[in-house]
Amino acid sequence: MTRWHRLLDHWEKDFRLIAYVAATLFFFRLVFILSFSELIEETSTYSDIFLALLQGLRYDLSTAGSLLLLTILLSLLDFGTLTYKLLTRLRELIIVIYVPVTLLLFIIDLIFFAYFNQQIDQRISGLWQDNLEDLLLTFWKDSHPILYLSVYVFLIYLNYKIVIGWYRNNKFYILRHAAFIRHNVLKVLFSILFIFSISAMARGSFGSSPLSYKHAEITGDSFLNKVVMNPYNALRYTFQDLNSIANSGSLENYWPDGLNSAINTAYPAQDEDISKISEVFERKSQGLGATIPKHIFVIVIESYSGWPMFDNY
């Protein structure tokens, strides 16, 4: 097997895995829409559903392209048998991790949407930190964990059978047809075009603006817009939101010179050393001179960050 044939063989396998990843994510979106079809607005048409599915496919291909981009680039480093075995093991590792993780994300996302009418968002952090033990106990007592676990294991096994059969299929080829290319210049051009296409796929766009959260708003139906992204996209933006919330407490993110500099700029008359922004707005009254109360009640409610996510607000 020549170096060119080995490269095409690598890319053929990468291309098949990209197709499998995109297909599973797309299939989940179909399941999602069918499971909550009653939430589709009456004014929506089949064109809206088709548009949401088509836009969702962009997110799926972006996820798949990002997942396999590394092996595609490593395939260019051809050191014979060593590289071939290494990349084969790496792809198999991706399969081993992707299948159970994706199925678990699907299940979590469906349950999360049933409760919050939204795909995974920052509220998952509160559930994880505060209520995980109670959720697991409730699931164990009120559900059928052995049955669900058995179904989960069966789905993992079924997906492994499908993806391994598709990955190792020697009767169907796509990229290997490029083996007829003989001229080195054409081989280089084909390689550049393929890598460029996969890179654009990972970005979700051939233009200057990559695929982002805002592109999910593709229809006039709020439910269809919510299911445009796949669970990996939802999880990614959830981590971004949590990171933004965690960093928002640091003034240095917005005013590198520090707190006193910011306060002196906003309130030039404020000369004291301020340790908290709240001290700038603090006001103290003389009081009524009455007897100091024996008890002080502090009422603690849930954190603010999750409340604006509810439809009521």
Side-chain angles (χ1 to χ4, degrees):
M1 183 182 291
T2 65
R3 182 174 182 178
W4 176 242
H5 286 79
R6 283 197 300 269
L7 180 62
L8 291 177
D9 187 63
H10 283 306
W11 285 351
E12 178 75 32
K13 292 178 179 178
D14 291 325
F15 189 81
R16 291 183 183 187
L17 289 183
I18 286 175
Y20 168 77
V21 170
T24 53
L25 296 175
F26 187 82
F27 177 76
F28 172 71
R29 185 173 295 102
L30 290 175
V31 173
F32 213 115
I33 292 175
L34 291 174
S35 300
F36 300 99
S37 58
E38 70 278 2
L39 297 179
I40 299 177
E41 297 177 8
E42 295 181 358
T43 55
S44 298
T45 64
Y46 286 109
S47 297
D48 294 318
I49 298 176
F50 176 77
L51 194 60
L53 291 173
L54 189 63
Q55 186 73 345
L57 185 59
R58 285 183 63 190
Y59 284 92
D60 301 339
L61 290 172
S62 175
T63 301
S66 302
L67 188 63
L68 275 302
L69 184 60
L70 176 61
T71 57
I72 290 174
L73 295 176
L74 288 177
S75 299
L76 296 171
L77 305 175
D78 186 4
F79 297 108
T81 306
L82 178 62
T83 307
Y84 192 88
K85 289 183 177 179
L86 175 64
L87 289 174
T88 299
R89 295 291 181 270
L90 183 56
R91 292 189 193 95
E92 290 175 352
L93 178 63
I94 291 174
I95 294 173
V96 168
I97 295 175
Y98 173 80
V99 171
V101 170
T102 301
L103 284 172
L104 185 61
L105 269 180
F106 286 176
I107 295 171
I108 293 174
D109 205 18
L110 281 170
I111 297 174
F112 194 91
F113 196 95
Y115 276 95
F116 297 106
N117 194 30
Q118 181 69 42
Q119 287 206 64
I120 296 173
D121 59 28
Q122 64 190 40
R123 284 171 289 189
I124 197 72
S125 173
L127 294 174
W128 178 270
Q129 295 175 1
D130 302 332
N131 304 319
L132 179 61
E133 184 177 351
D134 293 335
L135 286 173
L136 292 177
L137 287 174
T138 302
F139 174 73
W140 182 262
K141 294 177 180 178
D142 300 341
S143 303
H144 304 280
I146 304 300
L147 175 61
Y148 291 143
L149 183 60
S150 300
V151 173
Y152 176 64
V153 172
F154 172 75
L155 290 175
I156 291 176
Y157 171 77
L158 182 62
N159 271 268
Y160 277 145
K161 294 286 288 184
I162 293 173
V163 66
I164 294 299
W166 167 246
Y167 175 70
R168 295 177 178 174
N169 189 304
N170 293 320
K171 299 179 181 179
F172 178 75
Y173 301 107
I174 301 175
L175 297 179
R176 286 186 191 176
H177 290 298
F180 71 88
I181 299 176
R182 303 298 181 187
H183 201 285
N184 289 335
V185 174
L186 294 179
K187 291 179 181 179
V188 171
L189 290 176
F190 178 86
S191 301
I192 292 174
L193 179 62
F194 179 73
I195 293 175
F196 173 77
S197 300
I198 298 300
S199 300
M201 181 188 296
R203 293 180 72 250
S205 171
F206 284 96
S208 58
S209 177
L211 190 65
S212 62
Y213 190 93
K214 63 183 179 182
H215 294 111
E217 298 290 330
I218 194 67
T219 72
D221 190 312
S222 60
F223 167 71
L224 292 176
N225 291 337
K226 290 176 182 178
V227 301
V228 165
M229 293 191 299
N230 60 60
Y232 284 100
N233 303 133
L235 198 61
R236 170 191 169 193
Y237 292 119
T238 295
F239 283 131
Q240 289 182 358
D241 290 342
L242 290 174
N243 186 58
S244 299
I245 292 172
N247 293 331
S248 63
S250 176
L251 183 67
E252 283 70 20
N253 289 330
Y254 309 98
W255 201 278
D257 294 334
L259 180 63
N260 287 330
S261 173
I263 292 175
N264 289 331
T265 301
Y267 302 93
Q270 191 69 247
D271 297 326
E272 299 179 9
D273 184 26
I274 303 297
S275 60
K276 296 180 180 179
I277 295 179
S278 59
E279 294 180 7
V280 176
F281 307 100
E282 187 179 76
R283 298 293 182 269
K284 297 180 180 179
S285 65
Q286 296 296 324
L288 300 175
T291 305
I292 298 176
K294 295 182 179 179
H295 302 284
I296 298 177
F297 296 92
V298 178
I299 301 175
V300 181
I301 63 172
E302 295 184 44
S303 63
Y304 165 79
S305 62
W307 284 99
M309 305 300 293
F310 285 102
D311 293 338
N312 306 25
Y313 306 99

